[in-house]
Amino acid sequence: HKQMKMFKTILLLLCISIMPSCSSDDSNNNNQGGNNSFFTKIDGEDFDADFASGFVTTFNTTITISGSDGNGKEVTLIFPITATAGSTYTIQSLDFVASYNADENDVSMANSEGSITITSHDTDDKRVSGTFNFVTEPVMVGSSNGYTFTEGSFNVTYTEL
């Protein structure tokens, strides 16, 4: 179990390190013209992302979707590029990875509970939507908190890097 947790942590850190960063002063619009949406409740509090974006990983095997508030809070979801409408992936199956950065010193990831369901995936237009929920645990012991994510939803156009 410890090896699996370490593997997921390394995978998450690799994914985070290749993710494009976005800040409130970006000249490009990360919301693809305002058509992207990303919402969840974090410990019961609404989190309606100001920036929602998606991209396909370098190896064309996964889609990474993220929602951020532009002030350091970011929720990231990773799932197979082969996802089709009606597909459900769980944290336990390793097909779904989820993380939350509350700030640079508070990073957590889902380790045991959570799922994502794809409600639509248009591979021609590169647009995907779905719902999700998960519970995170701190990546580093004593350095962050765990959080509960409920009522999550996204509708995002993704790009290939």
Side-chain angles (χ1 to χ4, degrees):
H1 182 71
K2 269 189 166 180
Q3 288 177 332
M4 187 60 61
K5 190 171 185 177
M6 180 59 77
F7 170 76
K8 289 168 91 175
T9 301
I10 290 170
L11 177 65
L12 171 70
L13 294 175
L14 282 172
C15 290
I16 288 173
S17 69
I18 64 168
M19 287 175 38
S21 63
C22 60
S23 65
S24 56
D25 61 5
D26 278 352
S27 58
N28 63 340
N29 186 342
N30 290 319
N31 280 336
Q32 302 286 331
N35 293 327
N36 287 350
S37 64
F38 190 105
F39 174 84
T40 189
K41 287 191 175 189
I42 304 172
D43 291 339
E45 298 283 324
D46 287 0
F47 177 81
D48 197 358
D50 293 325
F51 300 94
S53 61
F55 65 91
V56 175
T57 57
T58 306
F59 301 110
N60 286 332
T61 58
T62 60
I63 296 173
T64 299
I65 301 295
S66 66
S68 72
D69 67 356
N71 293 313
K73 292 182 180 176
E74 182 172 40
V75 179
T76 303
L77 313 171
I78 302 170
F79 53 89
I81 194 169
T82 55
T84 57
S87 300
T88 297
Y89 302 98
T90 64
I91 293 295
Q92 295 86 347
S93 70
L94 299 180
D95 289 322
F96 171 46
V97 178
S99 67
Y100 176 54
N101 291 10
D103 62 48
E104 62 188 39
N105 299 313
D106 189 354
V107 178
S108 61
M109 69 180 292
N111 280 319
S112 58
E113 292 181 50
S115 66
I116 185 170
T117 299
I118 305 305
T119 53
S120 70
H121 186 186
D122 184 329
T123 55
D124 293 331
D125 289 339
K126 295 181 175 61
R127 189 152 187 90
V128 63
S129 62
T131 59
F132 62 92
N133 65 76
F134 57 92
V135 176
T136 64
E137 298 171 12
V139 171
M140 303 282 290
V141 176
S143 66
S144 64
N145 303 299
Y147 299 91
T148 300
F149 296 77
T150 57
E151 300 178 38
S153 64
F154 62 90
N155 188 355
V156 173
T157 300
Y158 56 89
T159 58
E160 294 181 17
L161 297 180

